[in-house]
Amino acid sequence: MKQICKFMIFLLVSGAMLCAQDMTQWIIDVRVPETTPEDAEIFVAGNFNMWNPADPAYKLIRVKPGIYTKVFNIFIDEIEFKFTMGSWNDVEVLLNGENRGNRQEKLKRDFVKKIYEIQMWHEHEKIENISGDVRIIENFEMPQLKRNRRIWIYLPPGYEASEECYPVLYMHDGQNLFNDATSFSGEWGVDETLERLISSRKINKLIVVGIENHPEYRLNEYSPYLFEYSGLKIRPQASEYADFIVETLKPFIDGNYRTKPSREHTAIAGSSMGGLVSVYIGVKYQSVFSKVGALSSSFGVCKSDLVKFINEHPKEYPMRFWLDMGSKEMGNMDLNEYQIPIKNALIDAGWQKRKEVKFLIFQGAEHNETYWRNRFDKVLKYLFK
């Protein structure tokens, strides 16, 4: 018995030592510019927290005017990051106001102590800037999740004056799609992009339905599988979220707006975790959706499970999958470790390379709404051509 106990203790100690070896204590001191508001909250966002610009777990502590600090436990070797005041609209930039590239560090084991200086913050005033006919439904019921959510609906030019029916694109993170004033990390400019493409006849008219996220539930609703994030276990609710879209939201939209309800005219799209859940929903409900847009998808949180899911749900119908990433993205978006395996899984499941599965890398692009906005027109042209 004593020998067994000693062996168990050895295993526990060995495991703890291995965990410690895999972790770096990243100790940072940050100097902020004099223009920083006294009550500013400073965060660090990077490939270690899915580039969340206002992650409470990565909020710095103000030790005295102009200086913030924090100690983080980091479990990856090569990190990329930027400092923000809570959104990508309030991100650090260079002294001349130009975009600052991602900071990079190669962390060694044990601990690393670093001092960083923020030169300047991006000057951005949030304004109401909705273009075209965008309507809002407050407190839309989500019976599958026992919650309510705000829904945004973009209607194409001439909708009221015609009797025409339109394709529908469902999108996640609805508060970031149309209005800068409601966005938590900058807006996509979906309305402006659609107005421009439609007026120039580069795409046909369509309706876009944006589902707002709730900060407390976003990771749960967008994840099909259990994963750990900032020391917390994220309980998956993507299955219920998918059922909400298919069983509750889509019938409402089809019943109250002039849509083309068939799968040939129904699409779903999102970015980051929204890209992950779009692929999951598209594969799960192939009889409902024929087009999937997945930008900078956080496949790394559940790659193996998602590959298995795709293998178990092979091609039943023709589909179009848009997959992409920026060349400056790593972590859960890593090209060879996460993006390529999902692309290959879709091809192995029966969808044709290029014709049905398109994958692009955008040089210089980072993980935020500005870059997704810049390429959203390409996504629309591919999905709705």
Side-chain angles (χ1 to χ4, degrees), residues 237-303:
Q237 296 179 338
S239 180
E240 294 87 345
Y241 178 68
D243 294 345
F244 156 69
I245 294 173
V246 171
E247 298 171 2
T248 302
L249 181 59
K250 187 177 186 301
F252 174 85
I253 296 296
D254 291 337
N256 290 273
Y257 299 89
R258 296 194 313 277
T259 70
K260 293 181 178 180
S262 66
R263 67 174 301 277
E264 290 79 12
H265 302 287
T266 307
I268 191 162
S271 63
S272 196
M273 288 295 292
L276 163 62
V277 78
S278 293
V279 171
Y280 169 77
I281 293 173
V283 172
K284 178 179 181 179
Y285 281 111
Q286 296 179 43
S287 61
V288 177
F289 300 95
S290 65
K291 314 171 200 304
V292 175
L295 292 74
S296 300
S297 302
S298 298
F299 292 136
V301 303
C302 62
K303 180 201 74 175

Side-chain angles (χ1 to χ4, degrees), residues 50-110:
M50 289 182 282
W51 294 96
N52 184 342
D55 188 342
Y58 288 86
K59 178 181 173 182
L60 307 184
I61 299 171
R62 184 174 182 266
V63 292
K64 60 182 180 180
I67 299 179
Y68 291 73
T69 189
K70 192 69 181 283
V71 179
F72 300 106
N73 294 328
I74 302 294
F75 293 89
I76 55 178
D77 294 334
E78 297 185 6
I79 63 172
E80 296 190 32
F81 60 98
K82 285 184 178 180
F83 295 103
T84 82
M85 287 196 292
S87 84
W88 292 116
N89 286 329
D90 300 305
V91 67
E92 61 171 324
V93 294
L94 299 177
L95 199 57
N96 59 7
E98 293 184 359
N99 176 58
R100 191 197 194 291
N102 292 342
R103 294 178 183 266
Q104 298 181 345
E105 291 286 358
K106 290 188 177 181
L107 300 182
K108 299 178 180 179
R109 298 305 185 203
D110 300 327

Side-chain angles (χ1 to χ4, degrees), residues 163-332:
E163 296 182 359
E164 187 179 352
C165 294
Y166 305 95
V168 181
L169 169 61
Y170 292 87
M171 297 188 69
H172 318 291
D173 296 318
Q175 61 265 56
N176 288 359
L177 302 179
F178 307 104
N179 191 1
D180 184 60
T182 61
S183 68
F184 62 85
S185 52
E187 67 148 317
W188 283 53
V190 169
D191 43 344
E192 288 88 353
T193 299
L194 284 166
E195 296 281 300
R196 173 171 54 82
L197 293 179
I198 290 171
S199 64
S200 61
R201 298 185 178 182
K202 292 183 178 178
I203 64 169
N204 294 323
K205 296 179 180 180
L206 69 144
I207 294 171
V208 176
V209 178
I211 310 157
E212 281 206 6
N213 73 61
H214 188 292
E216 184 178 350
Y217 306 118
R218 181 177 184 269
L219 293 181
N220 304 89
E221 292 177 0
Y222 292 179
S223 178
Y225 305 100
L226 180 73
F227 74 97
E228 289 195 6
Y229 171 72
S230 293
L232 300 175
K233 289 187 176 180
I234 304 302
R235 182 168 62 90
Q237 296 179 338
S239 180
E240 294 87 345
Y241 178 68
D243 294 345
F244 156 69
I245 294 173
V246 171
E247 298 171 2
T248 302
L249 181 59
K250 187 177 186 301
F252 174 85
I253 296 296
D254 291 337
N256 290 273
Y257 299 89
R258 296 194 313 277
T259 70
K260 293 181 178 180
S262 66
R263 67 174 301 277
E264 290 79 12
H265 302 287
T266 307
I268 191 162
S271 63
S272 196
M273 288 295 292
L276 163 62
V277 78
S278 293
V279 171
Y280 169 77
I281 293 173
V283 172
K284 178 179 181 179
Y285 281 111
Q286 296 179 43
S287 61
V288 177
F289 300 95
S290 65
K291 314 171 200 304
V292 175
L295 292 74
S296 300
S297 302
S298 298
F299 292 136
V301 303
C302 62
K303 180 201 74 175
S304 298
D305 290 320
L306 186 59
V307 168
K308 181 180 178 182
F309 179 80
I310 294 170
N311 291 339
E312 293 172 348
H313 296 77
K315 177 179 177 178
E316 297 179 34
Y317 301 91
M319 295 188 74
R320 283 185 190 153
F321 291 90
W322 170 286
L323 310 176
D324 75 19
M325 68 174 294
S327 65
K328 291 189 176 181
E329 299 185 72
M330 294 178 64
N332 287 316

